[in-house]
Amino acid sequence: MQLTLWTYEGPPHIGAMRVATAMRGLHYVLHAPQGDTYADLLFTMIERRDARPPVTYTTFQARDLGADTAEIFKQAVAAAYERFRPQAMIVGASCTAELLQDDPGGLSRALGLPIPVIPLELPAYQKKENWGASETFYRLVRTLAGPPAAERVQTSCNILGPTALGFRHRDDLREVRGLLDGLGIAVNVVAPLGAAPADLARLGEAAFNVVLYPEVARSAAQWLERTHRQPFVETAPIGVKGTVAFVEAVAALAGVDPIPVLRAEGSRLPWYARSVDSTYLTGKRVFVFGDATHAVAAARVAAAEIGFSVVGLGTYSREFAREVRAEAAAHGIEALITDDYLAVEAAIAAAQPELVLGTQMERHIAKRLGIPCAVISAPMHVQDVPARHAPQMGFEGANVLFDAFVHPLMMGLEEHLLAMFRDDPEFHDGAAPSHLGGGARLEAETAVLAAPAAAPPVVWSIEAERELKKVPFFVRGKARHNTELFARERALPLITVETLYDAKAHFSR
Amino acid sequence: MTALASPVACGPEIRFERGQRAVFCGLTSIVWLHRKIQDAFFLVVGSRTCAHLIQSAAGVMIFAEPRFATAIIEERDLAGLADAHEELDRVVRRLLERRPDIRLLFLVGSCPSEVIKLDLGRAAARLSADLAPAVRVLSYSGSGIETTFTQGEDACLAALVPDLPRDEAASLLVVGALADVVEDQFARLLTDLGIGPVRFLPGRRAAERAPVGPNTRYLLAQPFLTETARALEERGAVRIPAPFPLGAEGTTLWLAAAARAFGVAPARVVAVTEPGRARAARALTAHRARLAGKRVFLFPDSQLEVPLARFLSREMGAALIEVGTPYLHRTHLAEDLALLPDGTAVTEGQSLDDQLDRCRAARPDLTVCGLGLANPLEGEDLVTKWSIELLFTPIQGYEQAGDLAGLFTRPLARRARLEA
């Protein structure tokens, strides 16, 4: 058993719902006890969908247990078919129904419905949401994709991966379509988002596939590559460099010239990052955590395009640990692969970053520790399904990323003034960035107090404590941490002003 | 799927319906219960789905070190039951090390734990013996196969009852978790009526255990407390029948029922309740203008639907199209049912798609429903009020009557304002 309060991912059937809800003309019958319908509100509330997800639940209760549940399941499948007349159905069990051992596939086959009914095996006690989405999409593609077209236009592709409840999937899709359009590449099918089962049958007409989110679509793309000889591009077009690499990779597959797209307007990020106000961003310590695709891309953008130092990188996607470890190594750090938010909190507290890029959970960890934060990955709350166009991908996505990463920080001039005039009432230590409201923020020091509780306390002399106050508050936590570390390693009984500066010298490289 | 009508001679027309149910399971009630009992911890023994459900229901509360968590059953726990008990002990010890302030621990059963027949009652008894006297450990089921939404509170309170001390003295026990502000108002009113001692179940702390005995009269503050009532009656306590304290009329009748049971003169009831009734009347006037004649459809959710429908119909002048409720306790709700207009369609249980068909056909002015249905119905141009708010907001009593009406009028006022 695992003691859990917060989970980064839901169970695998939530992943299946994300695929089903993304599509049209598909219905999901889920063998699940009463109560599992809570999942509907993720879609109707967080994503503000104006229709119910296309999911029928059997909602069995205690009195139904026994031979009855299989019959309830069959009735639910038959009734759902009659009512919704889908082009295809998927059927499966949630965690409790998995224990009952009714066989959704066999039971629905026995009904002899005139449409494809695809059984899903989603092991709820081993796997999680993203795996469930990937497996569902793979099963759908495997069952429904028609044969490879005899003649394919080289400049046509499918876009695979966007789902319901995906982080900025709606807007990413618009950006990527724009890029492909600029290259003169036709989009054959987008799936799962917006696709019907009949559209999946046409997947074989495209020459190649564009995988936007490997967490969802890599399995399906690999299968299409094997069976349909469709190569795929998996380069995430996140950040300017990522987008350029994506455009070049896609253009190469389609045999078109990437230059017109790369020469077009592009992104404001490179100029904004070069403008002098951004000088203050240099080497700011950033901690990145999220799903693998977004964490890796955000770390690259943070380091190479904005000039931050990546001091922490991790993911909750165990399936993609290898990619994240490789990226972390490139930043000279070790990746954090965990789905335990307490481990993430401890790692953030220890790394003492000046900015956290993460999920909704890291937003709250950062708030507790008094560190600025931007959300870059699911899981997200309702505010991260914005009404405005807010992609992560493409050149406009790079603009969005620049604003998102920099906004929680002080603007350069403001930070400069705070450091220079920190004894003035307007620019005192506790002042929050002016654009984030005037309220004083928790000092970063609290992070240190919360972190290594096991370590013996180190005593500060009054003079050293006073000297520490002169350090700008946004790096004071780090200074305190480093000094105490330094003192502890040398078993110094008292931290003096001398110790403070010895430690500063020791840690400045 | 099936709909059996069982019309009564007069009064509401009660139907029973079976099929797909769009309702929460009992685990959801942890989200307000843990705030009520301040030194209790709720440990769900369940799956990742259970953890995800509570996370979704608790919203931002999940980030505030709340006193609930899930012990997620993993594949190796499914292999053998002996191992599962050892695992549970390990999780509980780790939890209590982190939270030494906890005095009462609930092991909360879920669908998976019940299907694998993990005996949480036995686990609770064993852990209670090990951890006494610092921590008491109790168990109950919040699973979807056993409980719907607020029935989780019923199961929790019922688990508390055998643990209450015995007492022969006459007393009043008010049963059902109420917001502290509401509880304080009721305590004042009942004391002013000369009723006493008055105690509440659940208490605000684990150590507050109201004594029960054959001279205990209990008054339900919530309509979903079937098992708790049964457990109290096994201890000899006697229920005071009353409609539920929603709206000015409901509150007055609820207090008057208690007063009658304790032999308080009617004149004193009038005198004590007069200021509250007058304030509620003032607060309700503006809302009545907005709700009068509005046609309301209530989907089943919390079992509060019948008393809410009574309030909407009698105090707000609304017309009731259909009143859904997950369960209908005909005895506990007799007084409220009697106050519904004759022929009111009351549906116990649910067949979701059929009920949605009826709702769409009726085109109500206001639909009270869960968050899974609210935006889709708004998308069909129906005005909705999401029902879970009725559990988190203080709505009982005189001082909250206006707020209660406001919950229903705000969506209508909003729809009238928006022009784009």
Side-chain angles (χ1 to χ4, degrees):
Chain A
M1 282 180 198
Q2 185 201 353
L3 183 61
T4 311
L5 178 57
W6 161 274
T7 69
Y8 283 99
E9 292 183 72
H13 73 260
I14 298 290
M17 282 186 70
R18 286 176 49 195
V19 172
T21 305
M23 290 181 61
R24 300 173 294 116
L26 179 74
H27 201 85
Y28 185 16
V29 179
L30 182 61
H31 204 13
Q34 168 177 266
D36 280 8
T37 53
Y38 82 86
D40 281 359
L41 67 88
L42 303 173
F43 299 91
T44 61
M45 296 305 293
I46 293 178
E47 206 167 37
R48 298 188 214 241
R49 288 195 166 249
D50 64 358
R52 290 179 54 226
V55 182
T56 297
Y57 305 81
T58 54
T59 57
F60 56 82
Q61 293 171 264
R63 61 167 182 247
D64 305 318
L65 292 178
D68 226 350
T69 52
E71 189 54 37
I72 290 175
F73 180 79
K74 278 170 75 173
Q75 282 175 14
V77 174
Y81 175 71
E82 279 308 314
R83 178 175 282 272
F84 300 104
R85 295 281 167 169
Q87 296 171 19
M89 286 171 98
I90 50 180
V91 296
S94 81
C95 52
T96 304
E98 185 184 333
L99 301 170
L100 296 184
Q101 299 182 328
D102 294 333
D103 170 19
L107 291 168
S108 38
R109 230 179 354 262
L111 290 170
L113 296 178
I115 55 164
V117 180
I118 302 153
L120 299 174
E121 296 284 343
L122 304 176
Y125 298 92
Q126 298 166 30
K127 303 289 190 180
K128 288 181 280 187
E129 177 177 332
N130 280 337
W131 188 90
S134 172
E135 173 69 9
T136 303
F137 187 51
Y138 165 70
R139 290 286 155 199
L140 280 165
V141 168
R142 234 193 116 115
T143 311
L144 299 173
E151 301 232 336
R152 286 164 172 165
V153 183
Q154 198 193 347
T155 53
S156 84
C157 71
N158 303 309
I159 299 178
L160 306 181
T163 63
L165 217 60
F167 186 76
R168 309 287 169 90
H169 287 194
R170 174 197 72 193
D171 299 344
D172 284 350
L173 182 58
R174 187 169 129 193
E175 286 305 307
V176 170
R177 272 178 175 280
L179 292 172
L180 295 172
D181 200 39
L183 289 166
I185 297 171
V187 175
N188 178 48
V189 172
V190 178
L193 193 60
D199 296 321
L200 295 188
R202 297 190 294 106
L203 283 171
E205 292 169 18
F208 64 96
N209 289 314
V210 170
V211 171
L212 292 192
Y213 310 101
E215 282 88 344
V216 177
R218 181 185 285 174
S219 303
Q222 285 172 336
W223 183 81
L224 287 166
E225 184 178 49
R226 276 200 308 277
T227 58
H228 286 53
R229 302 178 319 281
Q230 282 174 331
F232 66 92
V233 177
E234 210 186 56
T235 315
I238 299 181
V240 174
K241 276 164 51 98
T243 302
V244 169
F246 171 85
V247 168
E248 285 170 346
V250 169
L253 273 185
V256 298
D257 181 6
I259 296 302
V261 168
L262 297 181
R263 272 217 195 108
E265 199 182 330
S267 169
R268 286 178 208 98
L269 182 148
W271 164 241
Y272 270 47
R274 278 167 178 75
S275 81
V276 293
D277 190 63
S278 298
T279 310
Y280 294 84
L281 303 174
T282 313
K284 276 210 186 286
R285 299 158 54 79
V286 55
F287 188 101
V288 186
F289 194 86
D291 68 28
T293 299
H294 287 96
V296 165
R300 284 182 191 161
V301 173
E305 301 187 24
I306 303 187
F308 293 144
S309 295
V310 177
V311 296
L313 174 60
T315 185
Y316 56 81
S317 317
R318 286 182 188 279
E319 294 90 343
F320 290 78
R322 199 185 320 144
E323 284 88 334
V324 179
R325 286 206 179 94
E327 182 66 22
H331 295 275
I333 52 177
E334 198 175 324
L336 175 69
I337 313 294
T338 183
D339 58 0
D340 180 355
Y341 74 94
L342 291 173
V344 179
E345 184 172 80
I348 293 176
Q352 285 290 314
E354 292 157 89
L355 175 67
V356 174
L357 305 176
T359 73
Q360 201 51 237
M361 189 66 227
E362 284 68 46
R363 190 167 74 90
H364 284 269
I365 291 172
K367 186 177 165 195
R368 194 175 302 155
L369 301 180
I371 305 170
C373 177
V375 175
I376 55 146
S377 161
M380 70 227 173
H381 273 180
V382 64
Q383 75 272 23
D384 275 302
V385 189
R388 68 176 187 279
H389 184 56
Q392 300 280 287
M393 292 184 168
F395 293 119
E396 179 60 21
N399 295 339
V400 170
L401 289 183
F402 181 87
D403 290 347
F405 291 8
V406 173
H407 180 90
L409 299 168
M410 303 275 179
M411 295 291 143
L413 183 61
E414 191 176 349
E415 182 169 327
H416 187 65
L417 289 172
L418 275 173
M420 281 188 36
F421 306 121
R422 62 176 173 266
D423 292 328
D424 289 10
E426 293 89 342
F427 298 107
H428 65 89
D429 281 357
S434 60
H435 58 288
L436 295 182
R441 195 164 41 200
L442 268 175
E443 291 193 20
E445 282 159 75
T446 55
V448 184
L449 299 177
V458 188
V459 182
W460 285 72
S461 72
I462 293 164
E463 296 76 30
E465 194 78 60
R466 203 174 293 141
E467 197 69 12
L468 181 69
K469 286 252 155 53
K470 297 176 189 167
V471 176
F473 77 89
F474 39 86
V475 288
R476 194 182 301 150
K478 189 181 154 210
R480 179 187 282 277
H481 176 75
N482 285 349
T483 310
E484 291 181 357
L485 191 68
F486 182 83
R488 220 173 277 126
E489 280 172 6
R490 282 155 190 77
L492 302 178
L494 183 74
I495 294 175
T496 62
V497 175
E498 207 69 345
T499 322
L500 181 66
Y501 286 114
D502 283 347
K504 184 169 190 283
H506 175 77
F507 284 105
S508 65
R509 279 175 290 238
Chain B
M1 289 184 190
T2 52
L4 303 170
S6 61
V8 192
C10 61
E13 193 172 308
I14 300 168
R15 293 151 29 94
F16 180 75
E17 195 170 51
R18 235 185 129 171
Q20 188 187 184
R21 295 163 71 103
V23 287
F24 282 122
C25 66
L27 295 181
T28 320
S29 51
I30 290 172
V31 178
W32 67 83
L33 276 174
H34 89 280
R35 300 195 60 224
K36 186 71 203 176
I37 315 176
Q38 292 159 15
D39 49 2
F41 195 99
F42 294 77
L43 180 65
V44 177
V45 182
S47 63
R48 182 167 300 281
T49 311
C50 305
H52 198 234
L53 160 94
I54 297 180
Q55 175 172 322
S56 309
V60 293
M61 209 183 274
I62 203 88
F63 300 109
E65 284 282 332
R67 282 170 286 100
F68 56 81
T70 309
I72 294 187
I73 298 171
E74 292 167 306
E75 193 164 47
R76 55 200 188 86
D77 301 309
L78 297 176
L81 283 183
D83 181 37
H85 281 281
E86 279 169 31
E87 282 287 293
L88 185 58
D89 287 9
R90 184 181 59 77
V91 165
V92 166
R93 282 178 202 290
R94 185 176 165 213
L95 174 71
L96 292 174
E97 275 162 24
R98 282 177 58 88
R99 301 299 300 265
D101 51 322
I102 298 307
R103 295 286 164 265
L104 177 59
L105 175 67
F106 288 102
L107 302 180
V108 188
S110 66
C111 301
S113 78
E114 275 161 32
V115 169
I116 65 170
K117 304 209 184 316
L118 187 58
D119 189 343
L120 291 185
R122 199 156 60 87
R126 186 185 62 240
L127 284 163
S128 231
D130 287 358
L131 299 168
V135 183
R136 280 185 294 145
V137 185
L138 299 174
S139 76
Y140 71 89
S141 169
S143 74
I145 55 180
E146 294 285 352
T147 59
T148 302
F149 195 28
T150 48
Q151 283 180 309
E153 177 176 329
D154 185 27
C156 172
L157 301 193
L160 284 172
V161 172
D163 214 31
L164 300 177
R166 187 181 163 81
D167 185 18
E168 302 289 328
S171 65
L172 176 67
L173 184 63
V174 178
V175 187
L178 293 166
D180 287 353
V181 58
V182 177
E183 195 176 290
D184 292 342
Q185 289 166 14
F186 284 161
R188 278 197 299 275
L189 284 165
L190 290 163
T191 306
D192 290 349
L193 286 169
I195 299 172
V198 180
R199 300 189 180 95
F200 292 86
L201 180 71
R204 294 184 195 185
R205 307 199 69 87
E208 281 175 33
R209 291 190 287 164
V212 217
N215 293 311
T216 304
R217 296 299 191 96
Y218 73 94
L219 185 60
L220 294 179
Q222 301 280 16
F224 41 74
L225 298 171
T226 307
E227 292 304 317
T228 309
R230 197 185 332 234
L232 285 168
E233 279 168 21
E234 276 171 21
R235 301 284 309 264
V238 178
R239 185 175 70 93
I240 302 171
F244 289 90
L246 295 171
E249 181 188 38
T251 304
T252 304
L253 292 173
W254 188 77
L255 290 168
R260 244 188 338 273
F262 281 79
V264 179
R268 184 159 183 193
V269 176
V270 172
V272 167
T273 58
E274 167 55 28
R277 279 185 287 126
R279 278 195 297 270
R282 276 200 300 281
L284 288 174
T285 309
H287 295 295
R288 191 177 302 113
R290 283 192 189 279
L291 275 170
K294 291 289 188 292
R295 299 162 61 252
V296 183
F297 193 109
L298 296 100
F299 277 82
D301 188 48
S302 62
Q303 300 185 52
L304 280 165
E305 294 81 5
V306 167
L308 286 172
R310 183 258 301 150
F311 163 73
L312 287 169
S313 130
R314 288 176 61 90
E315 298 191 49
M316 294 291 101
L320 303 172
I321 300 173
E322 179 170 334
V323 182
T325 180
Y327 290 99
L328 186 65
H329 195 298
R330 284 159 176 74
T331 314
H332 290 177
L333 282 161
E335 285 72 21
D336 281 290
L337 286 168
L339 293 171
L340 287 182
D342 280 354
T344 301
V346 175
T347 308
E348 182 182 10
Q350 186 173 34
S351 172
L352 176 62
D353 285 310
D354 295 325
Q355 195 166 35
L356 279 168
D357 285 347
R358 295 198 296 274
C359 177
R360 289 177 181 126
R363 305 277 327 155
D365 297 308
L366 183 67
T367 304
V368 182
C369 62
L371 287 173
L373 298 179
N375 270 338
L377 288 174
E378 292 277 352
E380 296 178 27
D381 207 25
L382 293 173
V383 180
T384 63
K385 166 67 217 135
W386 46 281
S387 50
I388 192 170
E389 194 174 9
L390 295 158
L391 272 301
F392 293 106
T393 311
I395 56 169
Q396 293 84 1
Y398 292 125
E399 318 306 338
Q400 284 68 237
D403 303 338
L404 173 60
L407 290 179
F408 296 105
T409 52
R410 192 173 304 119
L412 292 165
R414 178 164 186 77
R415 183 59 72 94
R417 268 171 194 250
L418 299 180
E419 290 177 8

